[in-house]
Each structure stands twice: as structure tokens, then as C-alpha cells.
Amino acid sequence: MERKNINRGFKQLRVWNDAVELYILTCKLISNFPYELKKTASNCIDASHSISRNIAEGYSRRSIKEYLNFLNIALGSSGEFHSCIYSFYKADQITSEDFNQLDELHYKTENELIQLIKSLQIKLKEGNWDQSFIN
């Protein structure tokens, strides 16, 4: 049974769904790092997870300014994530195939996030944002 309410609408966002998929793929490809790199791997997994979490938290705020703030935090986590996987690739800690898989999904998610931020910035500028629960 799907539980729905206005506060769970973020689940309909393509960017949130892709961010969740990025987290799942990251866990799959990074969680088997050797013991001495577990902290680094954990930080990368957390950066990937932070993207979807901040999209959800921002969506769940009623203010467009708060929403944009959390989306920008998600964008920062996206940059952190890319830095992680690029470093892993350059250090030969992940294969080029794993890097390309992660980078392709990350690139798609990051661009969706940028587009969402742009569209909300337009709504903010034009004043087209209803923050009430009443239609």
C-alpha cells in the first residue's frame, strides 16, 4: 500500500528517484572497499545519500527559500560525491567501468538538480509559489 500525502510529493520527482538510484549503485560498488579505506568509502556513500535526503527535506519545507537552500546543499553533496569517485578512479580504487557507471548516473542526477533549482529560482522571482496546504 502506497501512503501518500502532500509532504511525500518529492517521491514523484525524477531527480529524487535518480538520487536514490545513485545511492543504491554507490553502495553496491563502493561498500566492498578494504578495511583501511572504509571511512573514505563511507564518506562517499554518505555524500550520495545526502543528495536525495536534502531534496526530500527541502521539498518538505513550505518556503521556497528553504527549499532552494536544501537543494543547494544537495548540489554541494553532489560535488563532494563527484570528487570522491574521481579520486577513487585516479587512485585505481575503482575500475573505469565502475567510475563510468557512477559518473553517468551522477551527471544525469546533477543536471536534473540544477534544472530544478533554476525552475524554482524563476518561481521565486515571479512570485509563483503557494506555500499553504490549502488550494
Short mmCIF file of all heavy atoms in Angstrom, two decimals, residues 18-64:
data_model
loop_
_atom_site.label_atom_id
_atom_site.label_comp_id
_atom_site.label_asym_id
_atom_site.label_seq_id
_atom_site.Cartn_x
_atom_site.Cartn_y
_atom_site.Cartn_z
N ASP A 18 16.30 9.41 -9.11
CA ASP A 18 17.64 9.15 -9.64
C ASP A 18 18.69 9.26 -8.54
O ASP A 18 19.67 8.51 -8.52
CB ASP A 18 17.96 10.10 -10.79
CG ASP A 18 17.21 9.71 -12.06
OD1 ASP A 18 16.72 8.57 -12.16
OD2 ASP A 18 17.13 10.56 -12.98
N ALA A 19 18.50 10.17 -7.60
CA ALA A 19 19.43 10.30 -6.47
C ALA A 19 19.40 9.05 -5.60
O ALA A 19 20.44 8.60 -5.11
CB ALA A 19 19.11 11.56 -5.66
N VAL A 20 18.22 8.48 -5.40
CA VAL A 20 18.11 7.22 -4.65
C VAL A 20 18.83 6.11 -5.41
O VAL A 20 19.57 5.31 -4.81
CB VAL A 20 16.63 6.86 -4.38
CG1 VAL A 20 16.50 5.44 -3.83
CG2 VAL A 20 16.00 7.87 -3.42
N GLU A 21 18.64 6.05 -6.72
CA GLU A 21 19.34 5.04 -7.53
C GLU A 21 20.86 5.23 -7.46
O GLU A 21 21.61 4.24 -7.44
CB GLU A 21 18.86 5.09 -8.98
CG GLU A 21 17.45 4.60 -9.18
CD GLU A 21 17.23 3.16 -8.70
OE1 GLU A 21 18.09 2.29 -8.99
OE2 GLU A 21 16.21 2.91 -8.04
N LEU A 22 21.31 6.48 -7.41
CA LEU A 22 22.75 6.76 -7.28
C LEU A 22 23.27 6.22 -5.95
O LEU A 22 24.34 5.61 -5.89
CB LEU A 22 23.00 8.26 -7.40
CG LEU A 22 24.47 8.69 -7.33
CD1 LEU A 22 25.27 8.11 -8.49
CD2 LEU A 22 24.56 10.22 -7.32
N TYR A 23 22.51 6.43 -4.89
CA TYR A 23 22.89 5.90 -3.58
C TYR A 23 22.99 4.37 -3.62
O TYR A 23 23.96 3.78 -3.13
CB TYR A 23 21.88 6.35 -2.52
CG TYR A 23 22.01 5.62 -1.21
CD1 TYR A 23 23.09 5.85 -0.36
CD2 TYR A 23 21.06 4.68 -0.82
CE1 TYR A 23 23.22 5.16 0.84
CE2 TYR A 23 21.17 4.00 0.37
CZ TYR A 23 22.25 4.25 1.20
OH TYR A 23 22.38 3.55 2.38
N ILE A 24 22.00 3.72 -4.22
CA ILE A 24 21.98 2.25 -4.30
C ILE A 24 23.20 1.74 -5.08
O ILE A 24 23.90 0.82 -4.65
CB ILE A 24 20.67 1.76 -4.93
CG1 ILE A 24 19.49 2.06 -4.00
CG2 ILE A 24 20.73 0.27 -5.29
CD1 ILE A 24 18.11 1.91 -4.64
N LEU A 25 23.46 2.36 -6.24
CA LEU A 25 24.61 1.96 -7.04
C LEU A 25 25.92 2.20 -6.30
O LEU A 25 26.83 1.37 -6.34
CB LEU A 25 24.60 2.71 -8.38
CG LEU A 25 25.73 2.37 -9.36
CD1 LEU A 25 25.68 0.89 -9.75
CD2 LEU A 25 25.65 3.27 -10.58
N THR A 26 26.01 3.33 -5.62
CA THR A 26 27.22 3.64 -4.85
C THR A 26 27.46 2.59 -3.78
O THR A 26 28.59 2.11 -3.62
CB THR A 26 27.11 5.05 -4.22
OG1 THR A 26 26.90 6.00 -5.25
CG2 THR A 26 28.37 5.41 -3.46
N CYS A 27 26.42 2.24 -3.04
CA CYS A 27 26.56 1.20 -2.02
C CYS A 27 27.05 -0.11 -2.64
O CYS A 27 27.95 -0.77 -2.10
CB CYS A 27 25.23 0.95 -1.31
SG CYS A 27 24.74 2.27 -0.20
N LYS A 28 26.48 -0.44 -3.77
CA LYS A 28 26.85 -1.70 -4.45
C LYS A 28 28.32 -1.71 -4.86
O LYS A 28 29.01 -2.70 -4.68
CB LYS A 28 25.95 -1.89 -5.67
CG LYS A 28 26.24 -3.11 -6.50
CD LYS A 28 25.35 -3.16 -7.72
CE LYS A 28 25.84 -4.21 -8.69
NZ LYS A 28 25.19 -4.11 -9.98
N LEU A 29 28.81 -0.58 -5.39
CA LEU A 29 30.15 -0.55 -5.95
C LEU A 29 31.25 -0.13 -4.97
O LEU A 29 32.41 -0.45 -5.19
CB LEU A 29 30.18 0.38 -7.17
CG LEU A 29 29.28 -0.02 -8.34
CD1 LEU A 29 29.36 1.01 -9.46
CD2 LEU A 29 29.62 -1.42 -8.85
N ILE A 30 30.88 0.57 -3.92
CA ILE A 30 31.89 1.14 -3.02
C ILE A 30 31.98 0.41 -1.68
O ILE A 30 33.01 0.44 -1.02
CB ILE A 30 31.60 2.65 -2.77
CG1 ILE A 30 31.54 3.43 -4.08
CG2 ILE A 30 32.60 3.28 -1.83
CD1 ILE A 30 32.83 3.53 -4.85
N SER A 31 30.92 -0.25 -1.25
CA SER A 31 30.90 -0.81 0.10
C SER A 31 31.89 -1.96 0.31
O SER A 31 32.14 -2.34 1.45
CB SER A 31 29.49 -1.25 0.48
OG SER A 31 29.04 -2.25 -0.39
N ASN A 32 32.46 -2.49 -0.73
CA ASN A 32 33.41 -3.59 -0.58
C ASN A 32 34.87 -3.12 -0.52
O ASN A 32 35.78 -3.91 -0.69
CB ASN A 32 33.22 -4.61 -1.71
CG ASN A 32 33.48 -4.01 -3.07
OD1 ASN A 32 33.65 -2.80 -3.21
ND2 ASN A 32 33.50 -4.84 -4.10
N PHE A 33 35.07 -1.85 -0.25
CA PHE A 33 36.43 -1.33 -0.11
C PHE A 33 37.14 -2.04 1.05
O PHE A 33 36.49 -2.47 2.01
CB PHE A 33 36.41 0.18 0.16
CG PHE A 33 36.47 1.03 -1.08
CD1 PHE A 33 35.88 0.65 -2.27
CD2 PHE A 33 37.13 2.25 -1.05
CE1 PHE A 33 35.95 1.45 -3.40
CE2 PHE A 33 37.21 3.05 -2.17
CZ PHE A 33 36.62 2.64 -3.34
N PRO A 34 38.46 -2.14 0.98
CA PRO A 34 39.20 -2.78 2.09
C PRO A 34 39.08 -1.96 3.38
O PRO A 34 38.76 -0.77 3.35
CB PRO A 34 40.64 -2.80 1.59
CG PRO A 34 40.72 -1.79 0.51
CD PRO A 34 39.34 -1.68 -0.08
N TYR A 35 39.37 -2.61 4.49
CA TYR A 35 39.19 -2.01 5.81
C TYR A 35 39.83 -0.63 5.93
O TYR A 35 39.22 0.30 6.45
CB TYR A 35 39.76 -2.95 6.89
CG TYR A 35 39.67 -2.34 8.26
CD1 TYR A 35 38.46 -2.32 8.95
CD2 TYR A 35 40.80 -1.76 8.86
CE1 TYR A 35 38.37 -1.74 10.20
CE2 TYR A 35 40.71 -1.18 10.11
CZ TYR A 35 39.50 -1.17 10.78
OH TYR A 35 39.41 -0.59 12.02
N GLU A 36 41.05 -0.48 5.46
CA GLU A 36 41.77 0.80 5.63
C GLU A 36 41.13 1.95 4.84
O GLU A 36 41.41 3.11 5.10
CB GLU A 36 43.26 0.67 5.27
CG GLU A 36 43.54 0.25 3.84
CD GLU A 36 43.56 -1.26 3.63
OE1 GLU A 36 43.21 -2.02 4.55
OE2 GLU A 36 43.92 -1.67 2.52
N LEU A 37 40.22 1.64 3.92
CA LEU A 37 39.53 2.68 3.16
C LEU A 37 38.04 2.77 3.51
O LEU A 37 37.29 3.48 2.85
CB LEU A 37 39.69 2.41 1.66
CG LEU A 37 41.11 2.52 1.12
CD1 LEU A 37 41.16 2.07 -0.33
CD2 LEU A 37 41.64 3.93 1.28
N LYS A 38 37.61 2.08 4.56
CA LYS A 38 36.18 2.07 4.92
C LYS A 38 35.66 3.47 5.24
O LYS A 38 34.54 3.81 4.86
CB LYS A 38 35.93 1.15 6.13
CG LYS A 38 35.92 -0.32 5.77
CD LYS A 38 34.78 -0.66 4.84
CE LYS A 38 34.74 -2.15 4.58
NZ LYS A 38 33.83 -2.49 3.51
N LYS A 39 36.45 4.28 5.93
CA LYS A 39 35.98 5.63 6.27
C LYS A 39 35.78 6.46 5.01
O LYS A 39 34.78 7.17 4.86
CB LYS A 39 36.95 6.32 7.22
CG LYS A 39 36.47 7.69 7.65
CD LYS A 39 37.40 8.34 8.64
CE LYS A 39 36.84 9.72 9.00
NZ LYS A 39 37.76 10.48 9.79
N THR A 40 36.72 6.37 4.09
CA THR A 40 36.63 7.09 2.83
C THR A 40 35.43 6.61 2.02
O THR A 40 34.67 7.42 1.48
CB THR A 40 37.92 6.91 2.02
OG1 THR A 40 39.02 7.34 2.81
CG2 THR A 40 37.90 7.69 0.74
N ALA A 41 35.24 5.31 1.96
CA ALA A 41 34.10 4.75 1.25
C ALA A 41 32.80 5.18 1.91
O ALA A 41 31.83 5.56 1.22
CB ALA A 41 34.20 3.23 1.22
N SER A 42 32.77 5.17 3.23
CA SER A 42 31.59 5.58 3.97
C SER A 42 31.24 7.05 3.69
O SER A 42 30.07 7.40 3.54
CB SER A 42 31.81 5.36 5.46
OG SER A 42 30.70 5.77 6.20
N ASN A 43 32.25 7.89 3.62
CA ASN A 43 32.02 9.31 3.31
C ASN A 43 31.41 9.48 1.92
O ASN A 43 30.53 10.32 1.71
CB ASN A 43 33.32 10.11 3.41
CG ASN A 43 33.77 10.30 4.83
OD1 ASN A 43 33.00 10.13 5.77
ND2 ASN A 43 35.02 10.66 5.01
N CYS A 44 31.87 8.68 0.97
CA CYS A 44 31.34 8.75 -0.39
C CYS A 44 29.89 8.28 -0.43
O CYS A 44 29.04 8.91 -1.06
CB CYS A 44 32.21 7.90 -1.32
SG CYS A 44 31.70 7.97 -3.05
N ILE A 45 29.61 7.20 0.26
CA ILE A 45 28.24 6.69 0.33
C ILE A 45 27.33 7.73 0.98
O ILE A 45 26.22 7.99 0.50
CB ILE A 45 28.20 5.34 1.07
CG1 ILE A 45 28.88 4.25 0.23
CG2 ILE A 45 26.76 4.94 1.42
CD1 ILE A 45 29.17 2.96 0.96
N ASP A 46 27.82 8.36 2.04
CA ASP A 46 27.03 9.38 2.72
C ASP A 46 26.79 10.59 1.81
O ASP A 46 25.70 11.15 1.81
CB ASP A 46 27.71 9.82 4.01
CG ASP A 46 26.81 10.70 4.86
OD1 ASP A 46 25.64 10.33 5.07
OD2 ASP A 46 27.27 11.77 5.28
N ALA A 47 27.79 10.99 1.03
CA ALA A 47 27.61 12.12 0.10
C ALA A 47 26.52 11.79 -0.92
O ALA A 47 25.67 12.63 -1.23
CB ALA A 47 28.92 12.46 -0.60
N SER A 48 26.53 10.55 -1.43
CA SER A 48 25.49 10.16 -2.40
C SER A 48 24.12 10.15 -1.75
O SER A 48 23.14 10.58 -2.35
CB SER A 48 25.81 8.81 -3.04
OG SER A 48 25.64 7.75 -2.13
N HIS A 49 24.05 9.69 -0.52
CA HIS A 49 22.77 9.62 0.19
C HIS A 49 22.26 11.01 0.55
O HIS A 49 21.06 11.27 0.56
CB HIS A 49 22.92 8.75 1.44
CG HIS A 49 21.63 8.25 1.98
ND1 HIS A 49 21.45 7.96 3.30
CD2 HIS A 49 20.44 7.97 1.38
CE1 HIS A 49 20.21 7.55 3.49
NE2 HIS A 49 19.59 7.53 2.35
N SER A 50 23.19 11.92 0.83
CA SER A 50 22.84 13.29 1.20
C SER A 50 22.07 14.00 0.09
O SER A 50 21.24 14.87 0.36
CB SER A 50 24.12 14.06 1.54
OG SER A 50 23.83 15.39 1.86
N ILE A 51 22.32 13.64 -1.14
CA ILE A 51 21.63 14.29 -2.27
C ILE A 51 20.13 14.06 -2.16
O ILE A 51 19.34 15.02 -2.13
CB ILE A 51 22.20 13.79 -3.62
CG1 ILE A 51 23.69 14.13 -3.74
CG2 ILE A 51 21.41 14.41 -4.78
CD1 ILE A 51 24.40 13.41 -4.89
N SER A 52 19.71 12.81 -2.08
CA SER A 52 18.26 12.53 -2.01
C SER A 52 17.66 13.02 -0.70
O SER A 52 16.52 13.51 -0.68
CB SER A 52 17.99 11.03 -2.19
OG SER A 52 18.55 10.27 -1.14
N ARG A 53 18.40 12.91 0.39
CA ARG A 53 17.87 13.36 1.69
C ARG A 53 17.60 14.86 1.69
O ARG A 53 16.58 15.31 2.22
CB ARG A 53 18.84 13.00 2.81
CG ARG A 53 18.92 11.51 3.09
CD ARG A 53 19.71 11.17 4.35
NE ARG A 53 20.78 12.07 4.69
CZ ARG A 53 22.08 11.78 4.59
NH1 ARG A 53 22.47 10.61 4.13
NH2 ARG A 53 22.99 12.65 4.97
N ASN A 54 18.50 15.64 1.11
CA ASN A 54 18.30 17.09 1.10
C ASN A 54 17.22 17.52 0.12
O ASN A 54 16.51 18.49 0.37
CB ASN A 54 19.63 17.81 0.83
CG ASN A 54 20.44 17.92 2.09
OD1 ASN A 54 20.07 18.65 3.01
ND2 ASN A 54 21.53 17.18 2.17
N ILE A 55 17.07 16.80 -0.98
CA ILE A 55 15.95 17.08 -1.89
C ILE A 55 14.64 16.87 -1.13
O ILE A 55 13.73 17.70 -1.19
CB ILE A 55 16.02 16.20 -3.15
CG1 ILE A 55 17.23 16.59 -4.01
CG2 ILE A 55 14.73 16.32 -3.96
CD1 ILE A 55 17.56 15.58 -5.11
N ALA A 56 14.54 15.76 -0.42
CA ALA A 56 13.32 15.44 0.33
C ALA A 56 13.07 16.45 1.44
O ALA A 56 11.94 16.93 1.62
CB ALA A 56 13.42 14.03 0.92
N GLU A 57 14.11 16.80 2.19
CA GLU A 57 13.91 17.75 3.28
C GLU A 57 13.50 19.12 2.76
O GLU A 57 12.61 19.76 3.30
CB GLU A 57 15.16 17.87 4.15
CG GLU A 57 14.91 18.77 5.35
CD GLU A 57 15.98 18.71 6.43
OE1 GLU A 57 16.92 17.91 6.31
OE2 GLU A 57 15.85 19.47 7.40
N GLY A 58 14.14 19.56 1.68
CA GLY A 58 13.77 20.85 1.10
C GLY A 58 12.35 20.87 0.59
O GLY A 58 11.60 21.82 0.80
N TYR A 59 11.95 19.79 -0.07
CA TYR A 59 10.59 19.69 -0.59
C TYR A 59 9.58 19.77 0.56
O TYR A 59 8.51 20.34 0.41
CB TYR A 59 10.41 18.37 -1.35
CG TYR A 59 9.06 18.23 -1.99
CD1 TYR A 59 8.88 18.57 -3.33
CD2 TYR A 59 7.96 17.75 -1.28
CE1 TYR A 59 7.63 18.44 -3.93
CE2 TYR A 59 6.72 17.63 -1.87
CZ TYR A 59 6.56 17.97 -3.20
OH TYR A 59 5.32 17.85 -3.79
N SER A 60 9.94 19.19 1.67
CA SER A 60 9.03 19.12 2.81
C SER A 60 8.92 20.44 3.58
O SER A 60 8.14 20.54 4.52
CB SER A 60 9.46 17.99 3.75
OG SER A 60 9.39 16.75 3.05
N ARG A 61 9.71 21.42 3.19
CA ARG A 61 9.57 22.76 3.78
C ARG A 61 8.53 23.50 2.96
O ARG A 61 8.37 23.28 1.78
CB ARG A 61 10.91 23.51 3.72
CG ARG A 61 12.07 22.81 4.37
CD ARG A 61 11.88 22.77 5.88
NE ARG A 61 12.96 22.03 6.52
CZ ARG A 61 13.72 22.53 7.48
NH1 ARG A 61 13.52 23.75 7.92
NH2 ARG A 61 14.66 21.79 8.02
N ARG A 62 7.83 24.39 3.57
CA ARG A 62 6.78 25.12 2.84
C ARG A 62 7.34 26.35 2.14
O ARG A 62 6.75 26.87 1.21
CB ARG A 62 5.65 25.52 3.77
CG ARG A 62 4.93 24.37 4.45
CD ARG A 62 4.52 23.22 3.55
NE ARG A 62 3.81 23.60 2.36
CZ ARG A 62 3.83 22.90 1.23
NH1 ARG A 62 4.51 21.79 1.15
NH2 ARG A 62 3.17 23.32 0.19
N SER A 63 8.47 26.84 2.55
CA SER A 63 9.05 28.06 1.99
C SER A 63 9.93 27.73 0.79
O SER A 63 10.78 26.84 0.86
CB SER A 63 9.88 28.77 3.08
OG SER A 63 10.79 29.67 2.51
N ILE A 64 9.77 28.47 -0.29
CA ILE A 64 10.59 28.24 -1.48
C ILE A 64 12.06 28.56 -1.19
O ILE A 64 12.96 27.91 -1.71
CB ILE A 64 10.05 29.03 -2.70
CG1 ILE A 64 10.77 28.55 -3.97
CG2 ILE A 64 10.20 30.53 -2.49
CD1 ILE A 64 10.15 29.07 -5.26
#
